[in-house]
Amino acid sequence: MKQQLNEIEIKLKEVYLPYLVVSIGAIIFYGLFRWLFDIKLSVLPLKEDLINFWIPFALPWIPILIWLRRRIRILNANGRDGNGFFLYQFAMAGAIAVPIILSQNYLEKISYDLVSIEEIHEIQNLKSEKFFNVQSFGVDKKECLHYVTVRASGRYNENLNLYLYVTCPFDNAKNIWYGVKYTKSLSNRISDDKKNSEYRSFLEMSEKNFSTYDFQNIKYFEKLGYTDDRDGFFKAIREGKSHLDKKEQVILVPRAEHFDQDLGNTYFWIFGSFGIGAFVIFWMVIIPGIDVRELNHFKDGRPLKEDGLKDILEFLDPRGPNKVTAILLLTNIAVFVVMILMGLNIISPTPHELLEIGGNRRFEVLAGEYWRLFSSMFIHSGIMHLFMNLFGLGISASLLEAILGKTKLMSIYLISGVLASLASIYWHENTVSVGASGAIFGLYGLILAFTVFKIYPSYMRGVTWILLGLYAGVSLLFGFLDGIDNAAHIGGLTSGFFIGGILILTGRDKLIKNTSWI
């Protein structure tokens, strides 16, 4: 009994209490950071979906990986499959992230008052306010402007989301607009004729609804901050007023609920979610036993023998053995981060946005913008697209770098990517193509050639066939569904296989010798 109590005391002291300190500290830190730099000083150049969800979702991993990852190892909780420690980290991250995410709406509402004004033009003098109760206003419906856009979503872009943004100028108010948004979601796997029919139906229904829209049926206005919706409304404005400065435009969207009731039970759920998370983590810490050996190592300050995070960081180190692999991975990640800082949606940027930053399309390339064949290789249409390509790139490049060398691997990657881009614009007339998958398929084409012509040793070829089936095969299968550019995939795979054949014909013995490391 005494030993059990001693174990519980150790687990509480070494794991649970540090978790509580980290969780409370993360919640308070981010709340104060957001309040100061975003709400009060307005110096964070980030979209609200990043501030409200994605940063709170990712933030807990930093203190967990720095301070708690080592402590979790003293628990005898890794499980038979070896994923137990990661599951503990994931549970802790979730328990911290949920209350942070829930608190953002609450923080925003308590930081701004509902300001009552007589006329709409007074908003121009209230730059730091967000919510308005306007006593009297009029809207010039004859001057309304609209903009339609589409976003694909889902792991394999299986959903197609239609958005119609309508902006109407207020009477006697310069640069202040009333915003109305209509949306519709449909499958991206239906035929083009069906898509066109659904698209026309969406526009017709939206137009019908707007013709009877009651502009006065509101409780208050919300001034849009840096969001995708604000971008959509401004693009509607630019359709007819291209000379207007984006920064000077104020977009107001109507809210039908009472301002005081809008928070609902948010306060309860913030503390409730924290309490539930703390309760779950408590029992996750208490139930398993203690790994005495790891506890002693922890107290002695010894590093972990098996450290997945350290392995990942070493793999991404351009100074390590996989230099080109690391450079390609980091370049794709860096470009995506720049895209997000530029304001593109982290989940599903629109084709127009992707085209503006370097996406590949036939018309622009034939007009002389050949650089798009190259730039499109490093642009991704969302975080899931990026992660899938990073996974495929990491495996394929690491299997080839020691065999080919740095220069050849980089050259083949880039050549395959450009040829894949050419295949895309040859096959698709008006599709905006982005992503590293064409170049990655070039590497898998090379692996296919090395497997078919027995460059890899016999015990390795079974593994390469499995990898080809799991990544290249599955990707090609899903590529036959709408929303994925299979022309680039096939173009890259064919290019890589052809280049691999040339390398085998000109230096088979050297290639086989270079596989001795496997």
Side-chain angles (χ1 to χ4, degrees):
M1 183 66 179
K2 185 176 180 181
Q3 183 179 355
Q4 290 179 335
L5 291 175
N6 186 47
E7 283 193 0
I8 292 174
E9 181 182 353
I10 292 172
K11 287 184 284 188
L12 291 176
K13 178 183 177 182
E14 302 296 349
V15 183
Y16 188 68
L17 290 180
Y19 158 75
L20 287 180
V21 172
V22 164
S23 61
I24 294 172
I27 294 170
I28 294 175
F29 166 78
Y30 189 71
L32 292 173
F33 177 85
R34 167 85 191 279
W35 177 82
L36 177 62
F37 292 101
D38 179 45
I39 294 175
K40 288 300 178 184
L41 299 179
S42 300
V43 294
L44 285 183
L46 301 174
K47 282 195 170 177
E48 289 186 4
D49 63 331
L50 285 174
I51 295 173
N52 290 337
F53 181 81
W54 290 105
I55 294 178
F57 179 79
L59 176 66
W61 285 98
I62 298 174
I64 286 173
L65 293 175
I66 294 175
W67 290 299
L68 298 181
R69 178 173 57 95
R70 183 67 181 87
R71 293 175 179 273
I72 293 171
R73 293 295 186 95
I74 73 173
L75 302 176
N76 192 9
N78 201 26
R80 294 180 180 179
D81 56 3
N83 293 324
F85 295 138
F86 174 77
L87 292 176
Y88 267 67
Q89 294 174 45
F90 189 85
M92 289 180 174
I96 298 172
V98 170
I100 297 179
I101 292 171
L102 291 176
S103 67
Q104 297 314 299
N105 181 51
Y106 181 82
L107 179 64
E108 196 172 75
K109 280 297 179 67
I110 64 171
S111 299
Y112 295 103
D113 295 323
L114 180 62
V115 180
S116 293
I117 56 178
E118 292 292 331
E119 296 181 352
I120 202 75
H121 66 83
E122 297 177 40
I123 289 176
Q124 293 287 21
N125 299 321
L126 300 168
K127 302 289 187 182
S128 61
E129 300 296 338
K130 187 177 182 69
F131 304 106
F132 303 95
N133 177 25
V134 185
Q135 301 300 321
S136 176
F137 65 89
V139 176
D140 188 353
K141 194 171 182 179
K142 294 180 180 179
E143 295 294 324
C144 291
L145 302 167
H146 69 274
Y147 172 75
V148 185
T149 189
V150 178
R151 293 186 188 275
S153 62
R155 185 175 181 182
Y156 294 102
N157 291 334
E158 65 269 19
N159 302 315
L160 202 61
N161 307 299
L162 309 179
Y163 299 88
L164 171 60
Y165 294 95
V166 183
T167 54
C168 305
F170 284 93
D171 292 334
N172 304 316
K174 185 180 179 181
N175 296 333
I176 304 180
W177 303 80
Y178 192 117
V180 181
K181 182 178 76 169
Y182 296 96
T183 64
K184 182 176 182 177
S185 296
L186 51 111
S187 173
N188 204 14
R189 297 173 180 174
I190 60 179
S191 66
D192 288 343
D193 289 341
K194 182 65 173 176
K195 288 178 184 176
N196 291 331
S197 176
E198 292 284 352
Y199 177 77
R200 289 191 298 269
S201 174
F202 167 66
L203 293 182
E204 290 171 2
M205 184 61 66
S206 300
E207 183 179 354
K208 182 179 178 180
N209 291 338
F210 187 71
S211 66
T212 59
Y213 185 83
D214 184 0
F215 288 89
Q216 301 293 329
N217 184 26
I218 69 165
K219 300 299 182 184
Y220 66 96
F221 284 109
E222 178 181 350
K223 182 172 69 175
L224 290 184
Y226 190 21
T227 63
D228 289 333
D229 282 345
R230 189 181 189 281
D231 287 347
F233 285 122
F234 179 70
K235 287 174 181 176
I237 296 171
R238 291 292 297 268
E239 290 292 316
K241 308 282 186 180
S242 59
H243 62 283
L244 295 180
D245 186 352
K246 182 177 182 179
K247 294 180 180 180
E248 295 179 358
Q249 308 311 305
V250 176
I251 313 295
L252 302 178
V253 292
R255 299 304 183 199
E257 65 276 359
H258 290 286
F259 182 79
D260 293 337
Q261 297 175 348
D262 196 28
L263 286 174
N265 296 320
T266 304
Y267 189 78
F268 168 79
W269 280 110
I270 294 171
F271 286 93
S273 62
F274 175 79
I276 293 170
F279 179 78
V280 171
I281 300 300
F282 174 81
W283 287 108
M284 289 179 69
V285 171
I286 291 297
I287 290 175
I290 290 179
D291 187 326
V292 178
R293 182 168 172 269
E294 283 294 340
L295 176 62
N296 291 332
H297 288 176
F298 170 69
K299 290 183 176 180
D300 293 340
R302 298 184 191 177
L304 292 170
K305 288 186 176 180
E306 297 180 4
D307 192 343
L309 177 62
K310 183 180 178 181
D311 293 340
I312 292 173
L313 294 177
E314 289 179 351
F315 185 74
L316 291 173
D317 186 354
R319 300 167 298 179
N322 297 306
K323 291 180 174 62
V324 172
T325 302
I327 289 171
L328 290 173
L329 290 169
L330 292 173
T331 300
N332 280 282
I333 294 171
V335 170
F336 189 74
V337 171
V338 172
M339 287 171 54
I340 301 309
L341 294 177
M342 290 172 62
L344 274 72
N345 187 282
I346 193 172
I347 297 294
S348 56
T350 65
H352 178 74
E353 291 171 335
L354 295 172
L355 188 65
E356 284 184 330
I357 64 169
N360 183 37
R361 191 169 68 173
R362 182 192 294 180
F363 177 82
E364 283 73 18
V365 173
L366 294 181
E369 298 178 7
Y370 305 115
W371 52 270
R372 292 180 179 274
L373 298 171
F374 175 82
S375 63
S376 59
M377 281 190 279
F378 299 96
I379 299 170
H380 288 84
S381 59
I383 194 168
M384 286 301 299
H385 188 203
L386 174 70
F387 281 162
M388 290 178 64
N389 279 348
L390 291 179
F391 175 76
L393 174 58
I395 293 175
S396 59
S398 62
L399 283 174
L400 293 169
E401 184 160 355
I403 300 174
L404 298 173
K406 299 185 289 294
T407 304
K408 283 185 179 179
L409 177 62
M410 179 66 80
S411 299
I412 293 170
Y413 179 87
L414 297 177
I415 291 170
S416 297
V418 170
L419 292 175
S421 295
L422 287 169
S424 177
I425 64 172
Y426 174 80
W427 188 262
H428 300 293
E429 179 181 0
N430 197 35
T431 296
V432 178
S433 176
V434 295
S437 55
I440 295 169
F441 264 81
L443 300 185
Y444 277 98
L446 205 62
I447 293 172
L448 178 62
F450 287 177
T451 303
V452 171
F453 296 109
K454 300 181 180 180
I455 300 300
Y456 287 119
S458 58
Y459 59 85
M460 188 63 190
R461 291 198 291 272
V463 176
T464 57
W465 279 121
I466 292 173
L467 290 175
L468 287 165
L470 288 178
Y471 185 83
V474 171
S475 296
L476 285 172
L477 178 62
F478 277 98
F480 287 107
L481 304 172
D482 284 340
I484 296 178
D485 185 6
N486 231 5
H489 291 173
I490 295 173
L493 187 68
T494 305
S495 302
F497 187 82
F498 181 76
I499 294 171
I502 295 175
L503 293 176
I504 292 169
L505 288 174
T506 57
R508 179 184 180 88
D509 293 340
K510 183 178 180 181
L511 291 173
I512 293 175
K513 181 180 179 181
N514 289 344
T515 62
S516 60
W517 66 273
I518 299 178

